[in-house]
Every structure is written in structure tokens, then in C-alpha cells.
Amino acid sequence: MNIVLFHSTLGPRPAVRQAADRLRDAGHQVWTPDLFEGRTFDSVEEGMAHQDGIGREELLKRAVLAAAPYSERGLVYAGFSLGASIAQTLALGDHRARGLLLLHGTSDLAPNASVDELPVQLHVAEPDPFETDDWLSAWYLQMGRIGADVEVHRYPGAGHLYTDPELDDYDAEAAEATWRVALGFLETLQEAQTGS
């Protein structure tokens, strides 16, 4: 699959490159846009301050420009936390999107959003301070209403960004389970695309 993978509010940390390498090792083509122009952060608070300074519209503009050269191929949009939010927004606006892989995050849906059975997989901690149970329930129902085919995987006791080995949030067991399931999801998308 052709995958565009967006980083979290902590910026393009090594974990993003490691995730991209894991996906490439599984046979996928992966692009990792840098929406922060090289800036990385060690705390969510610092990252969110930087993110707010750039602004949501500018971040989305940068993301669209980064994905545009590859979108005609039919992309799987993916991302971590903030990057998942951006990936969701782009995927729901791209009729050629092949799938949506959300790690640690979701986003509001545009009022006019509509997709044709877009495969969506979400991996999130349980509980997650940024993705509350009430929010996730509402999000799941909304995604279903607009035509997405959604599956949600929760990881009890994991931290918010539990797939990043350099963070206190890291949970090795949850991270490996996430990648195992996510790679299976991508393999299913690949089979659907090739008709095998």
C-alpha cells in the first residue's frame, strides 16, 4: 500500500521513522511528512504550544501539500495522535483514499463528510486523557453514519503515546499488539486492492 504517516504533536521523533521502517519492511511504500519543520518535543505541553502557534489551518495545508503528489495512487492515511487527527481529515476528504489507520487519536468530522465504506482502524489507550470514552462512542457512531467501516482496538493501562519506545507512555506489549493488528489491516487492504 501507499501510506502517508503523520507525526504527533511531539514532532518527527525517531519513533515515527521506526514505524515507517516497520511498514516498509512489510512491503509498503511510506511517506512521513514533517509538519513541524524539524522541531521535536519531549512533552505534550511543549508540542501543543508549538502546534497552536502554527495553527490548525496551516497544519492541514502543509499536510495536504505533502500528500498531494501521491494521492492519485490511492493512499492509506495514517498518523499518531495529532497526526491521526490530520490523517482522518484528509482521508475523509479524499475519494481515492484506500484506508485510514489511526494511532492514539481521532478528530471532529466535517458536517458534510461522507465516504463509501472506507476501512478505518483505530488503536487507542484505555483510558486515554485525550480520547475519552464518551468522545470515542460519539465518534464511532458518527463515523458509521457517514459510511466508514470502523474497528476500534483499546489497550487497558497503556499511556497515550504507548507506541513510542522513548516515552514514559510506552507499553511494549500494547505496541506489539497494535503493530500486529495494524499490519494485518494493511494486508487486508492490499488484498482488496489487488483483488487476490
Side-chain angles (χ1 to χ4, degrees), residues 141-163:
L141 291 172
Q142 289 177 317
M143 289 290 280
R145 284 193 198 105
I146 69 166
D149 181 10
V150 183
E151 57 183 81
V152 177
H153 299 269
R154 305 289 302 273
Y155 300 88
H160 173 62
L161 282 169
Y162 65 82
T163 57

Side-chain angles (χ1 to χ4, degrees), residues 116-182:
D116 184 13
E117 296 184 359
L118 179 72
V120 179
Q121 190 176 85
L122 168 65
H123 297 267
V124 64
E126 181 180 17
D128 187 307
F130 301 101
E131 302 287 327
T132 65
D133 289 345
D134 288 347
W135 165 259
L136 286 174
S137 295
W139 174 85
Y140 180 83
L141 291 172
Q142 289 177 317
M143 289 290 280
R145 284 193 198 105
I146 69 166
D149 181 10
V150 183
E151 57 183 81
V152 177
H153 299 269
R154 305 289 302 273
Y155 300 88
H160 173 62
L161 282 169
Y162 65 82
T163 57
D164 188 329
E166 295 184 349
L167 299 177
D168 291 340
D169 282 353
Y170 182 59
D171 184 312
E173 187 175 344
E176 285 308 307
T178 293
W179 286 116
R180 185 171 59 253
V181 174

Side-chain angles (χ1 to χ4, degrees), residues 4 15 42 54 73 89 95 102 146 159 167 169 181:
V4 59
D42 293 321
I54 296 171
R73 306 179 190 200
T89 301
H95 68 277
L102 303 172
I146 69 166
L167 299 177
D169 282 353
V181 174

Side-chain angles (χ1 to χ4, degrees), residues 19-180:
D21 288 343
R22 188 187 289 245
L23 295 170
R24 290 184 186 111
D25 288 345
H28 303 290
Q29 181 82 39
V30 187
W31 295 275
T32 55
D34 177 0
L35 306 181
F36 282 6
E37 298 175 328
R39 295 286 304 278
T40 61
F41 302 94
D42 293 321
S43 75
V44 170
E45 291 75 22
E46 289 176 307
M48 289 182 79
H50 183 69
Q51 165 189 328
D52 292 345
I54 296 171
R56 175 86 177 166
E57 291 305 311
E58 175 62 22
L59 284 171
L60 285 172
K61 178 181 171 185
R62 292 179 186 183
V64 168
L65 289 172
Y70 317 108
S71 63
E72 285 188 8
R73 306 179 190 200
L75 287 169
V76 173
Y77 291 89
F80 299 94
S81 194
L82 164 69
S85 167
I86 288 170
Q88 177 185 307
T89 301
L90 268 60
L92 298 187
D94 181 358
H95 68 277
R96 292 173 299 244
R98 303 281 187 193
L100 175 59
L101 176 60
L102 303 172
L103 302 159
H104 322 300
T106 60
S107 181
D108 294 321
L109 280 68
N112 61 345
S114 177
V115 293
D116 184 13
E117 296 184 359
L118 179 72
V120 179
Q121 190 176 85
L122 168 65
H123 297 267
V124 64
E126 181 180 17
D128 187 307
F130 301 101
E131 302 287 327
T132 65
D133 289 345
D134 288 347
W135 165 259
L136 286 174
S137 295
W139 174 85
Y140 180 83
L141 291 172
Q142 289 177 317
M143 289 290 280
R145 284 193 198 105
I146 69 166
D149 181 10
V150 183
E151 57 183 81
V152 177
H153 299 269
R154 305 289 302 273
Y155 300 88
H160 173 62
L161 282 169
Y162 65 82
T163 57
D164 188 329
E166 295 184 349
L167 299 177
D168 291 340
D169 282 353
Y170 182 59
D171 184 312
E173 187 175 344
E176 285 308 307
T178 293
W179 286 116
R180 185 171 59 253

Side-chain angles (χ1 to χ4, degrees), residues 171-195:
D171 184 312
E173 187 175 344
E176 285 308 307
T178 293
W179 286 116
R180 185 171 59 253
V181 174
L183 288 170
F185 173 67
L186 294 169
E187 187 176 333
T188 301
L189 298 182
Q190 183 74 54
E191 289 169 358
Q193 180 172 295
T194 59

